[in-house]
């Protein structure tokens, strides 16, 4: 359990995965387990962590909804870096660094640290900072570039999250890339 005690029905600290899926969803359960699983250690599980993962899924859903409402039917391609604003170049550099860190963590089988890196980027940098900055540019003369960066970053976040959050990412992918087929066969971000 969360306190490191062995789960036992007699103690009453057992968390039934099927109950957690009913309450919070399969993706939230999978993400919370991946987030907490450190090689060589026991995994401490708590309902609060699973609820936090559900909140993360909600944050991702709302961010994707904002991006999809912003780009509508457009699917602009990413322009040259010289035509991008500083906030656009910043989020793209952070995305590149995040992908490199995730690759490094996965290379040594540290799924928990890879998920923490992806969570930090998605929640703090993309949702909390870049989306707010993008709102300022969507009504200006740099709207096309901003839309392209929004779509590009969301596309990559969905592909990075897919192995541990397959249901929500597949659903969002079908709207972000409606003609691309399943996210399961999409290339891993480089």
């Amino acid at each position: 359990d969360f306190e490191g005690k062995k789960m036992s029905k007699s103690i009453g600290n057992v968390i039934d995965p099927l109950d957690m899926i009913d309450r919070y969803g399969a993706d939230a359960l999978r993400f919370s387990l991946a987030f907490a699983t450190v090689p060589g250690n026991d995994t401490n599980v708590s309902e609060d962590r699973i609820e936090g993962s559900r909140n993360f899924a909600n944050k991702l859903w709302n961010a994707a909804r904002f991006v999809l409402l912003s780009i509508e039917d457009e699917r602009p391609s990413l322009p040259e870096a010289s035509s991008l604003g500083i906030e656009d170049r910043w989020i793209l550099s952070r995305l590149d660094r995040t992908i490199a860190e995730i690759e490094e963590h996965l290379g040594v089988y540290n799924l928990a640290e890879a998920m923490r890196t992806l969570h930090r980027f998605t929640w703090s940098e993309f949702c909390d900072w870049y989306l707010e900055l993008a709102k300022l540019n969507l009504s200006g003369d740099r709207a096309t570039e901003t839309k392209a960066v929004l779509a590009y970053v969301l596309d990559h976040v969905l592909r990075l999250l897919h192995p541990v959050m397959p249901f929500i990412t597949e659903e969002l992918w079908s709207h972000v890339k409606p003609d691309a087929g399943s996210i399961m066969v999409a290339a891993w971000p480089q």
Side-chain angles (χ1 to χ4, degrees):
D1 70 3
F2 186 68
E3 296 173 356
K5 296 177 185 170
K6 185 176 178 181
M7 287 191 183
S8 167
K9 287 182 183 179
S10 60
I11 296 174
N13 63 347
V14 174
I15 295 177
D16 185 352
L18 296 176
D19 288 343
M20 295 299 104
I21 290 170
D22 287 343
R23 267 188 227 147
Y24 303 109
D27 281 347
L29 178 62
R30 288 169 59 106
F31 187 80
S32 65
L33 291 174
F35 194 86
T37 303
V38 177
N41 290 336
D42 291 336
T43 301
N44 297 347
V45 179
S46 76
E47 191 169 341
D48 289 340
R49 279 196 179 148
I50 300 167
E51 184 178 2
S53 295
R54 191 236 10 233
N55 295 343
F56 176 64
N58 287 342
K59 185 86 160 177
L60 177 66
W61 185 270
N62 289 331
R65 191 175 65 172
F66 171 77
V67 171
L68 290 167
L69 288 172
S70 298
I71 65 174
E72 296 172 336
D73 292 333
E74 294 178 62
R75 295 300 181 266
S77 57
L78 201 59
E80 293 293 321
S82 60
S83 66
L84 296 174
I86 193 166
E87 64 276 2
D88 300 325
R89 293 191 311 270
W90 170 77
I91 196 66
L92 292 173
S93 72
R94 291 301 303 138
L95 175 63
D96 286 346
R97 184 176 299 163
T98 299
I99 293 169
E101 288 177 21
I102 289 170
E103 290 278 333
E104 183 179 315
H105 295 309
L106 292 177
V108 293
Y109 304 104
N110 194 341
L111 183 61
E113 201 55 44
M115 291 303 103
R116 286 187 189 105
T117 300
L118 186 52
H119 180 275
R120 187 173 37 253
F121 171 78
T122 304
W123 191 296
S124 300
E125 295 175 272
F126 182 56
C127 295
D128 286 352
W129 282 101
Y130 185 72
L131 290 183
E132 296 304 318
L133 293 170
K135 290 175 185 176
L136 302 173
N137 294 329
L138 286 172
S139 60
D141 57 344
R142 293 192 31 253
T144 303
E145 292 84 359
T146 302
K147 289 176 183 180
V149 172
L150 283 168
Y152 182 84
V153 173
L154 179 61
D155 166 10
H156 282 66
V157 166
L158 292 176
R159 287 192 263 163
L160 291 166
L161 273 171
H162 183 69
V164 293
M165 299 183 92
F167 301 109
I168 190 171
T169 55
E170 184 70 48
E171 178 63 27
L172 293 172
W173 177 266
S174 70
H175 297 287
V176 173
K177 299 269 189 168
D179 301 327
S182 175
I183 193 173
M184 288 186 287
V185 294
W188 185 256
Q190 299 297 314

